[in-house]
Amino acid sequence: MAASLLAGIRVLDLSQYIPGPYATLMLSDLGADVVKVEPPVGDPMRAYGAEGGGVSPFYAVMNGGKRVISLNLKTREGKSALLDLLAVADVLVESYRPGVLERLGLGRAVLENANPRLVHCSISSYGKNGPLAEMGAHDLNCMALGGGLSVSGTTARPVMTTPPVADYASALQASLTVAAALLARQRTGKGCYIDLSMTDTVLAWQSWVITDSLRGGSIARRGTGESNGGLASYNLYETSDGRFISIGADEDKFWARFCTAVGRQDWIARKSEPAPQTALIDEVQRLIGTRPLSAWNALLGEVDCCFQPVLNPGELPQHPQVVARKMLAPSGTGGGAIEALYPAWIDGRPPDARPAYRDTDAASIRQSWSGAAAHAG
């Protein structure tokens, strides 16, 4: 079902690495026909972690279901081929710095003239205006400036996140905005230009912590707030074998069940102690540290107290919940790569398996698109 929601929508993807390619991967999973346009040397991700001169498995899982072509946009022929495809495309996704498309002779006026119905989504670190617009950055920088790092981590220091949150969050923001723009086009008949900043995407999540900070609250102080390490009932604890468990007993009933299960009913009334609950956290940690992860799984696994073990990546494919949701599958390209599929069941059906990417050429794409029916929307 998911693979039919955007059927008939044609997407050109000029982006590299994660944000743009993951956005178009989601569009492809929803049924769009995505063509990834790469320079003659290819997307640098092709070589990331590749062995023996082959294609990186990370590239393969980021581009499943897409067709891939090579164009040199610095040449007249390459630019002409791209404009020919853009004339019949619905969506363009790219991640160039401001001014790059203009220097290639593919500025906004050119694109609008080629196809006024085109939905053009440009993903960049800081957006197309402002003092940092032309500066380089990666996920870590966008997380830092957007407020995504300062409140997460220990009281001593923030922590870097993996997978890269700004990359994936901006990809999801892009795919959502593109879908909304396509819906709007059904009413107006016109495309639009989407200027999407990775930093803005992170910043959009910060209303709560900014408000708390301006009011002098504890959430914005790392390791002391209600959701970042200041409460015993909402925390991570190390087991005796060096593993970790999560307790997310935010509500009183869950905390009471946890305390009862571990034989410490005296902790129940202490849930309301002011944060940071350093003494109570230390007591809970001392108890959790007396047993291995397997023992806590056995004791708490069936207790409805918002407990879960912190799984290692290699444990995910075998977890019964992951298996039941049919979220992971071997990549169609082989090589031992595992793909996480589209994260939604639609009309009772699990996500569809994702075919491997296919290398092809611009002429083949143009031929297949010219023979298709009128665009959806």
Side-chain angles (χ1 to χ4, degrees), residues 147-159:
L149 288 181
S150 65
V151 298
S152 297
T154 67
T155 54
R157 61 182 297 159
V159 298

Side-chain angles (χ1 to χ4, degrees), residues 84-104:
D84 191 40
L85 292 174
L86 283 169
V88 293
D90 296 289
V91 178
L92 169 65
V93 176
E94 46 88 4
S95 56
Y96 292 117
R97 289 200 204 186
V100 171
L101 281 180
E102 285 75 10
R103 290 194 294 272
L104 290 171

Side-chain angles (χ1 to χ4, degrees), residues 68-349:
V68 184
I69 65 174
S70 175
L71 292 177
N72 185 350
L73 299 183
K74 295 180 180 180
T75 67
R76 180 181 301 175
E77 294 78 13
K79 184 168 63 176
S80 176
L82 180 67
L83 286 171
D84 191 40
L85 292 174
L86 283 169
V88 293
D90 296 289
V91 178
L92 169 65
V93 176
E94 46 88 4
S95 56
Y96 292 117
R97 289 200 204 186
V100 171
L101 281 180
E102 285 75 10
R103 290 194 294 272
L104 290 171
L106 296 166
R108 283 297 306 146
V110 173
L111 298 183
E112 286 181 311
N113 182 65
N115 185 353
R117 290 172 52 84
L118 184 69
V119 173
H120 175 186
C121 181
S122 177
I123 305 173
S124 61
S125 299
Y126 301 119
K128 300 304 183 184
N129 64 297
L132 298 181
E134 297 188 12
M135 298 292 288
H138 283 292
D139 175 273
L140 182 63
N141 311 115
C142 299
M143 286 288 287
L145 184 61
L149 288 181
S150 65
V151 298
S152 297
T154 67
T155 54
R157 61 182 297 159
V159 298
M160 292 184 283
T161 55
T162 299
V165 172
D167 281 353
Y168 283 97
S170 58
L172 295 176
Q173 193 71 42
S175 58
L176 169 65
T177 311
V178 164
L182 289 169
L183 182 62
R185 193 183 68 174
Q186 290 183 340
R187 300 190 305 271
T188 66
K190 296 181 180 180
C192 68
Y193 174 60
I194 301 165
D195 171 9
L196 195 141
S197 157
M198 293 168 59
T199 301
D200 290 351
T201 299
V202 176
L203 184 60
W205 295 7
Q206 307 307 318
S207 298
W208 187 6
V209 295
I210 292 173
T211 300
D212 181 75
S213 178
L214 295 175
R215 298 177 66 213
S218 62
I219 296 173
R221 295 196 297 274
R222 190 172 53 253
T224 64
E226 296 178 0
S227 59
N228 66 353
L231 296 184
S233 58
Y234 200 90
N235 224 307
L236 300 169
Y237 297 100
E238 187 173 4
T239 62
S240 65
D241 54 348
R243 298 295 301 272
F244 289 87
I245 66 169
S246 68
I247 301 295
D250 213 16
E251 293 85 357
D252 291 346
K253 63 181 180 181
F254 294 130
W255 177 244
R257 291 169 188 167
F258 167 74
C259 296
T260 300
V262 300
R264 291 300 304 263
Q265 289 89 339
D266 57 306
W267 287 345
I268 295 176
R270 297 178 62 185
K271 185 177 186 296
S272 59
E273 290 180 359
Q277 298 174 339
T278 306
L280 181 55
I281 291 171
D282 288 345
E283 289 182 41
V284 177
Q285 176 56 72
R286 283 197 293 272
L287 175 61
I288 300 302
T290 62
R291 303 184 192 181
L293 178 62
S294 58
W296 293 117
N297 277 332
L299 179 64
L300 299 173
E302 300 300 323
V303 178
D304 188 14
C305 64
C306 298
F307 156 86
Q308 286 299 331
V310 176
L311 297 181
N312 295 326
E315 296 172 319
L316 293 172
Q318 291 79 41
H319 192 280
Q321 182 63 28
V322 176
V323 173
R325 293 295 291 175
K326 302 183 186 300
M327 267 295 298
L328 301 180
S331 170
T333 58
I338 299 294
E339 292 192 279
L341 304 177
Y342 193 83
W345 285 47
I346 298 175
D347 289 338
R349 292 180 55 183

Side-chain angles (χ1 to χ4, degrees), residues 46-68:
R46 280 183 180 253
Y48 184 80
E51 298 179 358
V55 175
S56 165
F58 307 109
Y59 173 91
V61 299
M62 190 62 68
N63 294 291
K66 304 175 189 178
R67 291 185 286 175
V68 184

